[in-house]
Amino acid sequence: MTKQEKQERRLQKKEERQLQKQHKKEVERRNAERELALQNNPDVICLLKKKKKGLLRIVFSRFGLSAILLLLQAGLIFVMFGTDFENPDIITVLLAFFSLFMFIHLFRSEMSSSAKLTWLFMMGLFPIPMSIMLWYTERDAGHITVRDRMRGLIRQTHHKLPQDEEVLKAPEIVKSNTDSLCRYLNQSGCFPLYHNTQVTYFPLGEDKFAAM
């Protein structure tokens, strides 16, 4: 390969890299415009909010919480043994009672035996941070947030699926005494009842194809 061919090849690769960068920037720009349009559209409801990025995502994650709690435990140990603390025995006794209380709470919980042993080992090493982490996981704050979010979305979109009252007045619904149940489900959630939804069940797939 001659020197000129090598130079042309380098220029070609450089142009390809530039085109790839331009394409990537164009895709990111389109995605940003699409997200902005969806956020500004009142008819669009996002199930999940955009996640935090960078340092905030680490701070508010379980890893960040664990790191903060471990630093708290290390600071407490330093105060007890690394400084001229007058009564370190008091903190030791309080930690012992606190650990005993958390162990009793752990054994009374409904989690599996393997999970209890894991928590027992971690709480034996780091009583305070692991106890707070146990409380955090038992509260299940993430699930509660998602549950409240879903309930709010159901309330916001309840009017988009109205219940046809004529359907509830159908003879087969009235005779079966399920009209009140249908009204309850539609009021508590968003589950309207429809008509013309007959379904035929076949014992075998061959029977279905024969009927088709």
PDB file of all heavy atoms in Angstrom, residues 149-164:
ATOM      1  N   ARG A 149     -48.712   6.557  42.488  1.00  0.00           N
ATOM      2  CA  ARG A 149     -48.697   7.121  41.141  1.00  0.00           C
ATOM      3  C   ARG A 149     -49.750   6.454  40.262  1.00  0.00           C
ATOM      4  O   ARG A 149     -50.474   7.128  39.517  1.00  0.00           O
ATOM      5  CB  ARG A 149     -47.303   6.942  40.536  1.00  0.00           C
ATOM      6  CG  ARG A 149     -47.163   7.385  39.088  1.00  0.00           C
ATOM      7  CD  ARG A 149     -47.362   8.866  38.933  1.00  0.00           C
ATOM      8  NE  ARG A 149     -47.096   9.299  37.571  1.00  0.00           N
ATOM      9  CZ  ARG A 149     -47.473  10.465  37.065  1.00  0.00           C
ATOM     10  NH1 ARG A 149     -48.125  11.333  37.823  1.00  0.00           N
ATOM     11  NH2 ARG A 149     -47.194  10.785  35.827  1.00  0.00           N
ATOM     12  N   MET A 150     -49.870   5.139  40.350  1.00  0.00           N
ATOM     13  CA  MET A 150     -50.851   4.424  39.547  1.00  0.00           C
ATOM     14  C   MET A 150     -52.272   4.790  39.965  1.00  0.00           C
ATOM     15  O   MET A 150     -53.157   4.950  39.123  1.00  0.00           O
ATOM     16  CB  MET A 150     -50.631   2.916  39.682  1.00  0.00           C
ATOM     17  CG  MET A 150     -49.353   2.412  39.044  1.00  0.00           C
ATOM     18  SD  MET A 150     -49.260   2.777  37.276  1.00  0.00           S
ATOM     19  CE  MET A 150     -50.694   1.900  36.679  1.00  0.00           C
ATOM     20  N   ARG A 151     -52.508   4.941  41.255  1.00  0.00           N
ATOM     21  CA  ARG A 151     -53.840   5.347  41.706  1.00  0.00           C
ATOM     22  C   ARG A 151     -54.184   6.744  41.203  1.00  0.00           C
ATOM     23  O   ARG A 151     -55.329   7.008  40.813  1.00  0.00           O
ATOM     24  CB  ARG A 151     -53.897   5.304  43.228  1.00  0.00           C
ATOM     25  CG  ARG A 151     -53.899   3.889  43.802  1.00  0.00           C
ATOM     26  CD  ARG A 151     -53.936   3.913  45.318  1.00  0.00           C
ATOM     27  NE  ARG A 151     -53.994   2.560  45.867  1.00  0.00           N
ATOM     28  CZ  ARG A 151     -53.961   2.284  47.169  1.00  0.00           C
ATOM     29  NH1 ARG A 151     -53.874   3.279  48.052  1.00  0.00           N
ATOM     30  NH2 ARG A 151     -54.011   1.035  47.586  1.00  0.00           N
ATOM     31  N   GLY A 152     -53.200   7.634  41.213  1.00  0.00           N
ATOM     32  CA  GLY A 152     -53.442   8.975  40.682  1.00  0.00           C
ATOM     33  C   GLY A 152     -53.750   8.952  39.194  1.00  0.00           C
ATOM     34  O   GLY A 152     -54.624   9.684  38.716  1.00  0.00           O
ATOM     35  N   LEU A 153     -53.045   8.101  38.443  1.00  0.00           N
ATOM     36  CA  LEU A 153     -53.312   7.992  37.007  1.00  0.00           C
ATOM     37  C   LEU A 153     -54.701   7.413  36.741  1.00  0.00           C
ATOM     38  O   LEU A 153     -55.384   7.829  35.797  1.00  0.00           O
ATOM     39  CB  LEU A 153     -52.243   7.120  36.343  1.00  0.00           C
ATOM     40  CG  LEU A 153     -50.831   7.711  36.282  1.00  0.00           C
ATOM     41  CD1 LEU A 153     -49.856   6.699  35.700  1.00  0.00           C
ATOM     42  CD2 LEU A 153     -50.813   8.988  35.460  1.00  0.00           C
ATOM     43  N   ILE A 154     -55.113   6.465  37.576  1.00  0.00           N
ATOM     44  CA  ILE A 154     -56.460   5.904  37.405  1.00  0.00           C
ATOM     45  C   ILE A 154     -57.517   6.974  37.648  1.00  0.00           C
ATOM     46  O   ILE A 154     -58.513   7.071  36.915  1.00  0.00           O
ATOM     47  CB  ILE A 154     -56.654   4.704  38.350  1.00  0.00           C
ATOM     48  CG1 ILE A 154     -55.790   3.529  37.890  1.00  0.00           C
ATOM     49  CG2 ILE A 154     -58.122   4.276  38.391  1.00  0.00           C
ATOM     50  CD1 ILE A 154     -55.822   2.344  38.819  1.00  0.00           C
ATOM     51  N   ARG A 155     -57.303   7.808  38.664  1.00  0.00           N
ATOM     52  CA  ARG A 155     -58.263   8.887  38.920  1.00  0.00           C
ATOM     53  C   ARG A 155     -58.276   9.901  37.778  1.00  0.00           C
ATOM     54  O   ARG A 155     -59.332  10.410  37.399  1.00  0.00           O
ATOM     55  CB  ARG A 155     -57.916   9.582  40.237  1.00  0.00           C
ATOM     56  CG  ARG A 155     -58.215   8.744  41.476  1.00  0.00           C
ATOM     57  CD  ARG A 155     -58.155   9.598  42.724  1.00  0.00           C
ATOM     58  NE  ARG A 155     -56.829  10.161  42.922  1.00  0.00           N
ATOM     59  CZ  ARG A 155     -55.878   9.585  43.643  1.00  0.00           C
ATOM     60  NH1 ARG A 155     -56.108   8.411  44.227  1.00  0.00           N
ATOM     61  NH2 ARG A 155     -54.697  10.160  43.794  1.00  0.00           N
ATOM     62  N   GLN A 156     -57.107  10.196  37.213  1.00  0.00           N
ATOM     63  CA  GLN A 156     -57.042  11.182  36.137  1.00  0.00           C
ATOM     64  C   GLN A 156     -57.673  10.677  34.843  1.00  0.00           C
ATOM     65  O   GLN A 156     -58.229  11.463  34.071  1.00  0.00           O
ATOM     66  CB  GLN A 156     -55.583  11.571  35.883  1.00  0.00           C
ATOM     67  CG  GLN A 156     -54.930  12.311  37.036  1.00  0.00           C
ATOM     68  CD  GLN A 156     -53.463  12.590  36.780  1.00  0.00           C
ATOM     69  OE1 GLN A 156     -52.996  12.497  35.648  1.00  0.00           O
ATOM     70  NE2 GLN A 156     -52.729  12.927  37.829  1.00  0.00           N
ATOM     71  N   THR A 157     -57.572   9.382  34.592  1.00  0.00           N
ATOM     72  CA  THR A 157     -58.068   8.823  33.327  1.00  0.00           C
ATOM     73  C   THR A 157     -59.409   8.120  33.479  1.00  0.00           C
ATOM     74  O   THR A 157     -59.854   7.445  32.554  1.00  0.00           O
ATOM     75  CB  THR A 157     -57.040   7.825  32.769  1.00  0.00           C
ATOM     76  OG1 THR A 157     -56.805   6.783  33.740  1.00  0.00           O
ATOM     77  CG2 THR A 157     -55.719   8.521  32.474  1.00  0.00           C
ATOM     78  N   HIS A 158     -60.038   8.265  34.633  1.00  0.00           N
ATOM     79  CA  HIS A 158     -61.298   7.559  34.866  1.00  0.00           C
ATOM     80  C   HIS A 158     -62.377   8.006  33.882  1.00  0.00           C
ATOM     81  O   HIS A 158     -63.202   7.185  33.429  1.00  0.00           O
ATOM     82  CB  HIS A 158     -61.753   7.787  36.306  1.00  0.00           C
ATOM     83  CG  HIS A 158     -62.948   6.971  36.691  1.00  0.00           C
ATOM     84  ND1 HIS A 158     -64.242   7.402  36.497  1.00  0.00           N
ATOM     85  CD2 HIS A 158     -63.049   5.736  37.246  1.00  0.00           C
ATOM     86  CE1 HIS A 158     -65.083   6.476  36.913  1.00  0.00           C
ATOM     87  NE2 HIS A 158     -64.386   5.459  37.380  1.00  0.00           N
ATOM     88  N   HIS A 159     -62.389   9.279  33.529  1.00  0.00           N
ATOM     89  CA  HIS A 159     -63.436   9.790  32.646  1.00  0.00           C
ATOM     90  C   HIS A 159     -63.241   9.371  31.195  1.00  0.00           C
ATOM     91  O   HIS A 159     -64.152   9.519  30.376  1.00  0.00           O
ATOM     92  CB  HIS A 159     -63.460  11.324  32.716  1.00  0.00           C
ATOM     93  CG  HIS A 159     -62.195  11.956  32.218  1.00  0.00           C
ATOM     94  ND1 HIS A 159     -61.041  12.013  32.984  1.00  0.00           N
ATOM     95  CD2 HIS A 159     -61.892  12.544  31.029  1.00  0.00           C
ATOM     96  CE1 HIS A 159     -60.088  12.616  32.298  1.00  0.00           C
ATOM     97  NE2 HIS A 159     -60.575  12.950  31.109  1.00  0.00           N
ATOM     98  N   LYS A 160     -62.080   8.856  30.854  1.00  0.00           N
ATOM     99  CA  LYS A 160     -61.815   8.461  29.470  1.00  0.00           C
ATOM    100  C   LYS A 160     -62.435   7.104  29.130  1.00  0.00           C
ATOM    101  O   LYS A 160     -62.515   6.740  27.955  1.00  0.00           O
ATOM    102  CB  LYS A 160     -60.306   8.423  29.212  1.00  0.00           C
ATOM    103  CG  LYS A 160     -59.643   9.791  29.308  1.00  0.00           C
ATOM    104  CD  LYS A 160     -58.179   9.732  28.950  1.00  0.00           C
ATOM    105  CE  LYS A 160     -57.525  11.107  29.040  1.00  0.00           C
ATOM    106  NZ  LYS A 160     -58.091  12.050  28.043  1.00  0.00           N
ATOM    107  N   LEU A 161     -62.834   6.335  30.137  1.00  0.00           N
ATOM    108  CA  LEU A 161     -63.496   5.045  29.913  1.00  0.00           C
ATOM    109  C   LEU A 161     -64.836   5.061  30.642  1.00  0.00           C
ATOM    110  O   LEU A 161     -64.997   4.425  31.690  1.00  0.00           O
ATOM    111  CB  LEU A 161     -62.623   3.886  30.405  1.00  0.00           C
ATOM    112  CG  LEU A 161     -61.331   3.624  29.630  1.00  0.00           C
ATOM    113  CD1 LEU A 161     -60.516   2.536  30.312  1.00  0.00           C
ATOM    114  CD2 LEU A 161     -61.642   3.215  28.190  1.00  0.00           C
ATOM    115  N   PRO A 162     -65.817   5.778  30.121  1.00  0.00           N
ATOM    116  CA  PRO A 162     -67.109   5.854  30.819  1.00  0.00           C
ATOM    117  C   PRO A 162     -67.892   4.551  30.684  1.00  0.00           C
ATOM    118  O   PRO A 162     -67.730   3.798  29.724  1.00  0.00           O
ATOM    119  CB  PRO A 162     -67.816   7.009  30.098  1.00  0.00           C
ATOM    120  CG  PRO A 162     -67.236   6.996  28.723  1.00  0.00           C
ATOM    121  CD  PRO A 162     -65.803   6.572  28.882  1.00  0.00           C
ATOM    122  N   GLN A 163     -68.735   4.325  31.659  1.00  0.00           N
ATOM    123  CA  GLN A 163     -69.580   3.136  31.649  1.00  0.00           C
ATOM    124  C   GLN A 163     -70.907   3.447  30.968  1.00  0.00           C
ATOM    125  O   GLN A 163     -71.591   4.406  31.325  1.00  0.00           O
ATOM    126  CB  GLN A 163     -69.823   2.652  33.077  1.00  0.00           C
ATOM    127  CG  GLN A 163     -70.804   1.505  33.196  1.00  0.00           C
ATOM    128  CD  GLN A 163     -70.318   0.253  32.491  1.00  0.00           C
ATOM    129  OE1 GLN A 163     -69.294  -0.303  32.851  1.00  0.00           O
ATOM    130  NE2 GLN A 163     -71.047  -0.186  31.479  1.00  0.00           N
ATOM    131  N   ASP A 164     -71.254   2.648  29.983  1.00  0.00           N
ATOM    132  CA  ASP A 164     -72.538   2.785  29.301  1.00  0.00           C
ATOM    133  C   ASP A 164     -73.625   2.181  30.193  1.00  0.00           C
ATOM    134  O   ASP A 164     -73.621   0.973  30.461  1.00  0.00           O
ATOM    135  CB  ASP A 164     -72.484   2.082  27.945  1.00  0.00           C
ATOM    136  CG  ASP A 164     -73.728   2.361  27.112  1.00  0.00           C
ATOM    137  OD1 ASP A 164     -74.608   3.106  27.594  1.00  0.00           O
ATOM    138  OD2 ASP A 164     -73.815   1.831  25.989  1.00  0.00           O
TER     139      ASP A 164
END
